[in-house]
Amino acid sequence: MRLFCLLTLFFTLTIQAQFQINGIVTDANNKPLPFATITTADNNNTITDVDGKFEFKINSQTTTFAVSYIGFQTKIIGITSHKKFYAISLLQKTDDLKEVVVSNENPALTIIKKVIANKNKNNPQKKLSSFEYKTYNKLIVTANPDSIDGRIDSSAAYKDFNKKTINIDSSDYKFKEIISKQHLFQTEKVSQYQFGNNKLKETILGTKMAGFKQPVYEIIAFNLQSISIYDSKYELFETKHQSPIADNAFSDYNYKLLDTVPIKGRNTFMIYFKNKKRKTNALEGVLYIDEENFAVAKAVMRIKAVLDISGIHEFEYVPEEKIWFQSNTTFKIVKGKNDDDIKILGGTIQFDGDVEDNFERRKKVASDFTYLISESNNFDIHYNTNPTIKNPSLYIEIKDDANKKPEEFWNQYRKENLDLKGQKTYQLIDSLSLSKRIEKRLGLGRKIINGYLPIGPIDLDLKKLISYNNYEGFRLGLGGVTNDRFSKLFRIEGYGAYGTKDGVFKYSIGSGVLLDKNTNTWLNGSYTDDVREIASTVFAVDKRVFKIYDPRPINISTFYKYIAWKANIQTKIIPKTEAVFELARTYVEPKFDYLYNLNGQLYSSYIMTTAMASIVWAPFSDFMQTPTGRTESDKQFPRFTFQFTQSLPNVLENDFTFSKIDFKTEYEKKYLNGQKTSLLLQGGVAMGDVPITHLYNTMPNNLTKETVIQRITFAGRNSFETMYFNEFFSSQYVFFQIKHGFDRIKIMKKVRPSLVLVTRMAWGNMEKPEQHVGPAYKTLDKGFFESGIELNRIFKGFGLGGFYRYGPNQLLKFEDNIAVKISYVLDLGL
């Protein structure tokens, strides 16, 4: 869940006065020279970006700096007082740079091959058995007020000599005034990293976030950039790219040797890399490679698209271990080239689009000067100490007192004391947060995303207010659960609902006791008198999904009444899992024409006493331990869900003996071009004596009506859109679905549909069909197949989809195999 934003750069006071210069480096033809090296006499250096531009902080005593680029003559530039911008043109050399030619082939390729061959010798997580270190991180969102000079300089309305009134918009001027005194956002963090047994864990010792008494854990868990430069995938702003030093990197990147540069007293090759397959969202940058051991001594990674994102990794050489170990990282986001508004981190940061609704370029506004910067400094580093790592399955653990650290704690770890601007940021934003109740708004957003509206000590359940199906008609209800204002250790939940068509009142009441906060272990009990769709599959560990509307139940007409007593334990005690263990006694009464025949005895109602174990396992996800419990901080795929249900003979009047095994495997892959592939494999087996109410209907979603137009309704999520309700039943089945979504197509500024291709298939069988008396149905022995196209979010969230049924269960009339569905996607903007 992305509720908020990550934020950025910090300015600190230094002992010596510093000032910033910037400029651009070009060749004689005025063509920018990307990644040219800027160096001062004290070996302080930086490089130009992909557009040849640079920003550089220098001491007041510095009088010159040097600009170098491979194949060009080095140029010494004198620094002039009060001059901030330098346009520098380099002349091309007439001779080759022979000292960096290492073979007859492209020298950069030869060097990168040696980097790849020596990765295990240079990667700390491969060469060292263990290590640990602490990190101080500061992240701010801010802007440089000097960038706004000359653009927004007045807030008055005045008249010129021609008596024409000129109105100056004051909003940008006010923005400049604010940013001159404080940052827009600021957060600090001190962490301890421990590595051992091939696992890296972060323990957050202290965290401080402007405007929040309690930290926003979603921001803390956000992945800005990879920790290790040697991973096969390099992550930048939660997007994984093929690493330029991955084993198969040559198929994705071109390389060029730019220069030789000394770093920490050791000579390095400066190699530029660029993705040769992609033109947008492509990773490029510079690697500084140690000439002796071919380790990475520094790395600059960048993506320049709608957002300009960069990540810098700096290293210190450790002679005792003969290894380069990471010492600093810097991450920065500024606005790139975007026609549309861009919201990141849940909308906390917005970069306005360059194009208005009338397709004309707009004037620059405050967001054009806003940027986010995060800088981390590593210290107290120890190698091969074999530290004891508690709870190694956790990726992040936040200490209970992390947000309660005194100012002495922060002064101990800050690289430099917090300057006046940083101090004012905490003071002013903290007061702003209190006055405008930002924390409460954040809490409200979290609740609403999950379908709750907090009202005092109770969270009102929005899913229970109103719904519709063909059996109950309009279902009007009220429900909720107590929240932390009532108790952090005990909860009460329940609901009541009335169907306008069946005229029956349904209800549920339950409670829970927290047994262990760290593992989110709850002991729950409930009593429910309600109805449920027949032959539906419900995994007890599935996350609650809130929709303004739930389209599929609208078309359902076959239900069974159930009265259930349940007791369960809900826990995350097993690493990377969530589990529910439940005992239940359920009275079942089918509300349609059905009798269950067991050895000649006909049942129109029955009792089931069952034990159930349900578990979801996410082996590739990262989990975070917070003071409020354990959460999945980085959801990864595949993930696996298993559920086993066993009836308990002769216990509490149980009528039948049976077992059920259900499973589900989910996989998603997102691509850099905005496309996404989703796979779903699901199945189940019911063994023994099982009524049709508890078998499998394989998720139909088509109405039994004459024409295609009459059958138009809302699409389900993972439903067979051409399968009619109650058409198929199975005692065992397997279902497979593949979806591939393309990036949104821009037709007009507010009309940007997304195309999704869908294919679904299922096979099944019905054991003991003679036991089911009443409904006529078919089986899936020969399989069921459908494919379709969805055009979602055509306008205001609405879309259309078309699906076609084919294969052995294709119907005789062509139009009966076609289904047209309406889709709706709601963006809550949270």
Side-chain angles (χ1 to χ4, degrees), residues 290-332:
D290 190 305
E291 289 186 9
E292 182 179 332
N293 61 11
F294 295 96
V296 178
K298 183 178 179 180
V300 179
M301 322 292 267
R302 188 175 183 189
I303 299 170
K304 187 171 184 182
V306 293
L307 294 175
D308 191 345
I309 306 171
S310 61
I312 300 175
H313 301 254
E314 297 181 87
F315 299 79
E316 291 282 348
Y317 186 71
V318 185
E320 299 83 2
E321 303 295 341
K322 295 181 179 180
I323 199 169
W324 286 88
F325 198 88
Q326 190 162 271
S327 58
N328 302 82
T329 58
T330 304
F331 174 88
K332 188 174 182 180

Short mmCIF file of all heavy atoms in Angstrom, two decimals, residues 290-332:
data_model
loop_
_atom_site.label_atom_id
_atom_site.label_comp_id
_atom_site.label_asym_id
_atom_site.label_seq_id
_atom_site.Cartn_x
_atom_site.Cartn_y
_atom_site.Cartn_z
N ASP A 290 37.96 -0.42 -10.29
CA ASP A 290 39.33 -0.48 -9.80
C ASP A 290 40.23 -1.17 -10.84
O ASP A 290 39.93 -2.27 -11.30
CB ASP A 290 39.35 -1.26 -8.47
CG ASP A 290 40.70 -1.18 -7.77
OD1 ASP A 290 41.72 -1.53 -8.39
OD2 ASP A 290 40.72 -0.79 -6.59
N GLU A 291 41.32 -0.51 -11.21
CA GLU A 291 42.19 -1.06 -12.26
C GLU A 291 42.90 -2.34 -11.82
O GLU A 291 43.29 -3.16 -12.66
CB GLU A 291 43.26 -0.01 -12.65
CG GLU A 291 42.70 1.16 -13.42
CD GLU A 291 43.80 2.09 -13.91
OE1 GLU A 291 44.99 1.71 -13.81
OE2 GLU A 291 43.47 3.19 -14.42
N GLU A 292 43.03 -2.53 -10.49
CA GLU A 292 43.79 -3.69 -10.00
C GLU A 292 42.92 -4.92 -9.80
O GLU A 292 43.24 -6.01 -10.28
CB GLU A 292 44.48 -3.32 -8.69
CG GLU A 292 45.34 -4.44 -8.11
CD GLU A 292 46.03 -4.02 -6.83
OE1 GLU A 292 46.28 -2.80 -6.65
OE2 GLU A 292 46.30 -4.89 -5.99
N ASN A 293 41.79 -4.78 -9.08
CA ASN A 293 40.97 -5.96 -8.77
C ASN A 293 39.62 -5.97 -9.49
O ASN A 293 38.82 -6.88 -9.28
CB ASN A 293 40.74 -6.08 -7.25
CG ASN A 293 40.01 -4.88 -6.68
OD1 ASN A 293 39.49 -4.03 -7.40
ND2 ASN A 293 39.98 -4.79 -5.35
N PHE A 294 39.34 -4.97 -10.30
CA PHE A 294 38.12 -4.87 -11.11
C PHE A 294 36.85 -4.89 -10.25
O PHE A 294 35.82 -5.43 -10.63
CB PHE A 294 38.08 -5.99 -12.17
CG PHE A 294 39.18 -5.86 -13.18
CD1 PHE A 294 40.37 -6.57 -13.02
CD2 PHE A 294 39.06 -5.00 -14.25
CE1 PHE A 294 41.40 -6.43 -13.93
CE2 PHE A 294 40.09 -4.86 -15.17
CZ PHE A 294 41.27 -5.59 -15.01
N ALA A 295 36.95 -4.26 -9.09
CA ALA A 295 35.78 -4.07 -8.23
C ALA A 295 35.14 -2.72 -8.55
O ALA A 295 35.78 -1.81 -9.10
CB ALA A 295 36.19 -4.11 -6.76
N VAL A 296 33.88 -2.57 -8.20
CA VAL A 296 33.19 -1.28 -8.37
C VAL A 296 33.60 -0.37 -7.23
O VAL A 296 33.39 -0.69 -6.05
CB VAL A 296 31.66 -1.47 -8.40
CG1 VAL A 296 30.97 -0.12 -8.53
CG2 VAL A 296 31.25 -2.39 -9.53
N ALA A 297 34.20 0.77 -7.57
CA ALA A 297 34.64 1.74 -6.56
C ALA A 297 33.64 2.90 -6.42
O ALA A 297 33.67 3.62 -5.42
CB ALA A 297 36.02 2.29 -6.92
N LYS A 298 32.80 3.07 -7.40
CA LYS A 298 31.73 4.07 -7.36
C LYS A 298 30.77 3.76 -8.48
O LYS A 298 31.17 3.22 -9.52
CB LYS A 298 32.31 5.48 -7.52
CG LYS A 298 31.28 6.61 -7.40
CD LYS A 298 31.94 7.98 -7.52
CE LYS A 298 30.91 9.11 -7.44
NZ LYS A 298 31.53 10.44 -7.56
N ALA A 299 29.50 4.07 -8.28
CA ALA A 299 28.50 3.82 -9.32
C ALA A 299 27.50 4.96 -9.34
O ALA A 299 27.04 5.43 -8.30
CB ALA A 299 27.79 2.50 -9.08
N VAL A 300 27.18 5.42 -10.54
CA VAL A 300 26.15 6.44 -10.75
C VAL A 300 25.10 5.84 -11.68
O VAL A 300 25.39 5.51 -12.82
CB VAL A 300 26.73 7.72 -11.37
CG1 VAL A 300 25.63 8.74 -11.61
CG2 VAL A 300 27.83 8.29 -10.48
N MET A 301 23.88 5.65 -11.18
CA MET A 301 22.80 5.03 -11.95
C MET A 301 21.71 6.06 -12.17
O MET A 301 21.36 6.83 -11.27
CB MET A 301 22.23 3.82 -11.21
CG MET A 301 23.28 2.98 -10.47
SD MET A 301 24.40 2.13 -11.58
CE MET A 301 23.59 0.56 -11.76
N ARG A 302 21.12 6.04 -13.38
CA ARG A 302 20.14 7.09 -13.68
C ARG A 302 19.09 6.62 -14.67
O ARG A 302 19.38 5.84 -15.58
CB ARG A 302 20.85 8.33 -14.25
CG ARG A 302 19.90 9.52 -14.38
CD ARG A 302 20.63 10.75 -14.83
NE ARG A 302 19.73 11.91 -14.89
CZ ARG A 302 20.05 13.06 -15.40
NH1 ARG A 302 21.25 13.25 -15.91
NH2 ARG A 302 19.19 14.05 -15.43
N ILE A 303 17.87 7.10 -14.45
CA ILE A 303 16.77 6.94 -15.41
C ILE A 303 16.21 8.33 -15.66
O ILE A 303 15.83 9.04 -14.72
CB ILE A 303 15.66 6.03 -14.85
CG1 ILE A 303 16.20 4.64 -14.58
CG2 ILE A 303 14.49 5.96 -15.83
CD1 ILE A 303 15.24 3.79 -13.82
N LYS A 304 16.16 8.72 -16.92
CA LYS A 304 15.61 10.03 -17.24
C LYS A 304 14.40 9.83 -18.13
O LYS A 304 14.50 9.44 -19.28
CB LYS A 304 16.64 10.91 -17.94
CG LYS A 304 16.14 12.33 -18.14
CD LYS A 304 17.21 13.26 -18.62
CE LYS A 304 16.66 14.70 -18.72
NZ LYS A 304 17.67 15.63 -19.23
N ALA A 305 13.22 10.06 -17.56
CA ALA A 305 11.97 9.90 -18.29
C ALA A 305 10.99 10.94 -17.75
O ALA A 305 11.35 12.11 -17.62
CB ALA A 305 11.44 8.47 -18.14
N VAL A 306 9.76 10.52 -17.42
CA VAL A 306 8.81 11.47 -16.84
C VAL A 306 9.29 11.96 -15.48
O VAL A 306 8.94 13.04 -15.02
CB VAL A 306 7.40 10.84 -16.73
CG1 VAL A 306 6.82 10.60 -18.10
CG2 VAL A 306 7.43 9.55 -15.93
N LEU A 307 10.10 11.12 -14.81
CA LEU A 307 10.82 11.54 -13.62
C LEU A 307 12.31 11.34 -13.88
O LEU A 307 12.71 10.36 -14.52
CB LEU A 307 10.39 10.73 -12.39
CG LEU A 307 8.96 10.92 -11.90
CD1 LEU A 307 8.67 9.96 -10.76
CD2 LEU A 307 8.72 12.36 -11.47
N ASP A 308 13.10 12.23 -13.39
CA ASP A 308 14.56 12.11 -13.51
C ASP A 308 15.06 11.54 -12.19
O ASP A 308 15.08 12.22 -11.17
CB ASP A 308 15.16 13.49 -13.78
CG ASP A 308 16.62 13.40 -14.18
OD1 ASP A 308 17.22 12.33 -13.97
OD2 ASP A 308 17.16 14.39 -14.70
N ILE A 309 15.46 10.25 -12.21
CA ILE A 309 15.80 9.52 -10.99
C ILE A 309 17.26 9.11 -11.05
O ILE A 309 17.72 8.58 -12.07
CB ILE A 309 14.92 8.26 -10.84
CG1 ILE A 309 13.43 8.64 -10.92
CG2 ILE A 309 15.21 7.55 -9.54
CD1 ILE A 309 12.51 7.45 -10.99
N SER A 310 17.99 9.35 -9.97
CA SER A 310 19.39 8.96 -9.94
C SER A 310 19.73 8.32 -8.60
O SER A 310 19.16 8.67 -7.56
CB SER A 310 20.30 10.16 -10.19
OG SER A 310 20.11 11.14 -9.18
N GLY A 311 20.66 7.39 -8.64
CA GLY A 311 21.17 6.74 -7.44
C GLY A 311 22.68 6.65 -7.52
O GLY A 311 23.23 6.20 -8.52
N ILE A 312 23.36 7.11 -6.48
CA ILE A 312 24.82 7.10 -6.45
C ILE A 312 25.29 6.22 -5.30
O ILE A 312 24.76 6.30 -4.18
CB ILE A 312 25.37 8.53 -6.28
CG1 ILE A 312 24.91 9.41 -7.44
CG2 ILE A 312 26.89 8.52 -6.18
CD1 ILE A 312 25.31 10.87 -7.29
N HIS A 313 26.28 5.36 -5.59
CA HIS A 313 26.88 4.50 -4.58
C HIS A 313 28.37 4.85 -4.47
O HIS A 313 29.08 4.84 -5.49
CB HIS A 313 26.74 3.02 -4.96
CG HIS A 313 25.33 2.57 -5.13
ND1 HIS A 313 24.68 1.78 -4.21
CD2 HIS A 313 24.42 2.81 -6.12
CE1 HIS A 313 23.44 1.53 -4.62
NE2 HIS A 313 23.27 2.16 -5.78
N GLU A 314 28.82 5.16 -3.26
CA GLU A 314 30.23 5.44 -3.04
C GLU A 314 30.81 4.41 -2.07
O GLU A 314 30.10 3.93 -1.17
CB GLU A 314 30.42 6.85 -2.48
CG GLU A 314 29.97 7.94 -3.46
CD GLU A 314 30.19 9.33 -2.91
OE1 GLU A 314 31.29 9.86 -3.10
OE2 GLU A 314 29.24 9.86 -2.31
N PHE A 315 32.09 4.07 -2.27
CA PHE A 315 32.71 2.99 -1.52
C PHE A 315 34.04 3.46 -0.90
O PHE A 315 34.67 4.40 -1.38
CB PHE A 315 32.99 1.79 -2.44
CG PHE A 315 31.77 1.20 -3.08
CD1 PHE A 315 31.17 1.79 -4.19
CD2 PHE A 315 31.19 0.04 -2.57
CE1 PHE A 315 30.05 1.25 -4.78
CE2 PHE A 315 30.07 -0.51 -3.16
CZ PHE A 315 29.50 0.09 -4.27
N GLU A 316 34.45 2.77 0.17
CA GLU A 316 35.76 2.94 0.77
C GLU A 316 36.54 1.64 0.57
O GLU A 316 35.98 0.54 0.72
CB GLU A 316 35.65 3.24 2.27
CG GLU A 316 35.07 4.59 2.61
CD GLU A 316 36.08 5.72 2.46
OE1 GLU A 316 37.28 5.41 2.31
OE2 GLU A 316 35.66 6.90 2.49
N TYR A 317 37.82 1.78 0.26
CA TYR A 317 38.64 0.57 0.10
C TYR A 317 39.16 0.13 1.46
O TYR A 317 39.66 0.94 2.25
CB TYR A 317 39.81 0.83 -0.85
CG TYR A 317 40.60 -0.43 -1.14
CD1 TYR A 317 40.05 -1.43 -1.94
CD2 TYR A 317 41.87 -0.62 -0.62
CE1 TYR A 317 40.75 -2.60 -2.20
CE2 TYR A 317 42.58 -1.78 -0.87
CZ TYR A 317 42.01 -2.78 -1.66
OH TYR A 317 42.70 -3.93 -1.92
N VAL A 318 39.01 -1.18 1.75
CA VAL A 318 39.44 -1.76 3.02
C VAL A 318 40.64 -2.65 2.75
O VAL A 318 40.48 -3.79 2.28
CB VAL A 318 38.29 -2.57 3.68
CG1 VAL A 318 38.71 -3.06 5.06
CG2 VAL A 318 37.02 -1.74 3.76
N PRO A 319 41.85 -2.18 3.00
CA PRO A 319 43.05 -2.96 2.65
C PRO A 319 43.11 -4.32 3.36
O PRO A 319 43.56 -5.31 2.78
CB PRO A 319 44.20 -2.05 3.09
CG PRO A 319 43.63 -0.68 3.16
CD PRO A 319 42.20 -0.87 3.55
N GLU A 320 42.65 -4.36 4.62
CA GLU A 320 42.73 -5.61 5.37
C GLU A 320 41.91 -6.72 4.72
O GLU A 320 42.29 -7.90 4.75
CB GLU A 320 42.25 -5.41 6.82
CG GLU A 320 43.07 -4.40 7.61
CD GLU A 320 42.65 -2.97 7.35
OE1 GLU A 320 41.69 -2.76 6.57
OE2 GLU A 320 43.30 -2.05 7.88
N GLU A 321 40.77 -6.35 4.15
CA GLU A 321 39.90 -7.34 3.51
C GLU A 321 40.06 -7.35 2.00
O GLU A 321 39.46 -8.18 1.31
CB GLU A 321 38.43 -7.05 3.87
CG GLU A 321 38.13 -7.02 5.36
CD GLU A 321 38.31 -8.36 6.04
OE1 GLU A 321 38.32 -9.39 5.33
OE2 GLU A 321 38.47 -8.37 7.28
N LYS A 322 40.84 -6.39 1.47
CA LYS A 322 41.04 -6.24 0.03
C LYS A 322 39.70 -6.15 -0.70
O LYS A 322 39.42 -6.88 -1.65
CB LYS A 322 41.88 -7.40 -0.52
CG LYS A 322 43.29 -7.43 0.03
CD LYS A 322 44.10 -8.58 -0.56
CE LYS A 322 45.53 -8.56 0.00
NZ LYS A 322 46.33 -9.67 -0.55
N ILE A 323 38.89 -5.22 -0.22
CA ILE A 323 37.54 -5.10 -0.75
C ILE A 323 37.08 -3.66 -0.68
O ILE A 323 37.51 -2.90 0.20
CB ILE A 323 36.56 -6.03 0.05
CG1 ILE A 323 35.28 -6.29 -0.73
CG2 ILE A 323 36.25 -5.44 1.41
CD1 ILE A 323 34.43 -7.38 -0.11
N TRP A 324 36.25 -3.26 -1.64
CA TRP A 324 35.57 -1.97 -1.61
C TRP A 324 34.24 -2.16 -0.89
O TRP A 324 33.41 -2.96 -1.32
CB TRP A 324 35.32 -1.44 -3.01
CG TRP A 324 36.55 -0.92 -3.70
CD1 TRP A 324 37.42 -1.64 -4.45
CD2 TRP A 324 37.02 0.43 -3.70
NE1 TRP A 324 38.42 -0.84 -4.94
CE2 TRP A 324 38.21 0.45 -4.49
CE3 TRP A 324 36.58 1.62 -3.14
CZ2 TRP A 324 38.94 1.61 -4.72
CZ3 TRP A 324 37.30 2.78 -3.36
CH2 TRP A 324 38.47 2.78 -4.15
N PHE A 325 34.02 -1.41 0.21
CA PHE A 325 32.79 -1.54 0.99
C PHE A 325 32.00 -0.24 0.92
O PHE A 325 32.58 0.85 1.03
CB PHE A 325 33.09 -1.88 2.45
CG PHE A 325 31.91 -2.44 3.20
CD1 PHE A 325 31.66 -3.80 3.20
CD2 PHE A 325 31.06 -1.60 3.89
CE1 PHE A 325 30.57 -4.32 3.87
CE2 PHE A 325 29.96 -2.10 4.58
CZ PHE A 325 29.71 -3.47 4.57
N GLN A 326 30.71 -0.35 0.72
CA GLN A 326 29.87 0.83 0.50
C GLN A 326 29.89 1.75 1.71
O GLN A 326 29.71 1.31 2.84
CB GLN A 326 28.45 0.39 0.18
CG GLN A 326 27.54 1.51 -0.29
CD GLN A 326 26.31 0.97 -1.02
OE1 GLN A 326 26.32 0.76 -2.22
NE2 GLN A 326 25.25 0.74 -0.27
N SER A 327 30.10 3.06 1.45
CA SER A 327 30.17 4.05 2.53
C SER A 327 29.03 5.06 2.48
O SER A 327 28.60 5.56 3.52
CB SER A 327 31.51 4.79 2.47
OG SER A 327 31.67 5.42 1.21
N ASN A 328 28.56 5.41 1.28
CA ASN A 328 27.51 6.41 1.12
C ASN A 328 26.61 6.05 -0.05
O ASN A 328 27.07 5.48 -1.04
CB ASN A 328 28.08 7.81 0.86
CG ASN A 328 29.02 8.29 1.93
OD1 ASN A 328 30.18 7.93 1.92
ND2 ASN A 328 28.51 9.09 2.85
N THR A 329 25.34 6.39 0.07
CA THR A 329 24.42 6.30 -1.07
C THR A 329 23.60 7.58 -1.13
O THR A 329 23.28 8.19 -0.10
CB THR A 329 23.46 5.10 -0.97
OG1 THR A 329 22.70 5.19 0.25
CG2 THR A 329 24.22 3.78 -1.00
N THR A 330 23.27 7.99 -2.33
CA THR A 330 22.45 9.18 -2.55
C THR A 330 21.39 8.85 -3.59
O THR A 330 21.68 8.23 -4.62
CB THR A 330 23.30 10.36 -3.05
OG1 THR A 330 24.35 10.61 -2.12
CG2 THR A 330 22.45 11.62 -3.19
N PHE A 331 20.17 9.26 -3.30
CA PHE A 331 19.04 9.03 -4.21
C PHE A 331 18.34 10.36 -4.43
O PHE A 331 18.13 11.12 -3.49
CB PHE A 331 18.08 8.01 -3.61
CG PHE A 331 16.82 7.81 -4.40
CD1 PHE A 331 16.76 6.88 -5.43
CD2 PHE A 331 15.68 8.56 -4.12
CE1 PHE A 331 15.60 6.70 -6.16
CE2 PHE A 331 14.51 8.38 -4.85
CZ PHE A 331 14.48 7.45 -5.87
N LYS A 332 17.97 10.63 -5.69
CA LYS A 332 17.34 11.92 -5.98
C LYS A 332 16.28 11.77 -7.07
O LYS A 332 16.47 11.02 -8.02
CB LYS A 332 18.41 12.94 -6.43
CG LYS A 332 17.87 14.38 -6.58
CD LYS A 332 19.00 15.35 -6.88
CE LYS A 332 18.49 16.78 -6.97
NZ LYS A 332 19.59 17.74 -7.26
#
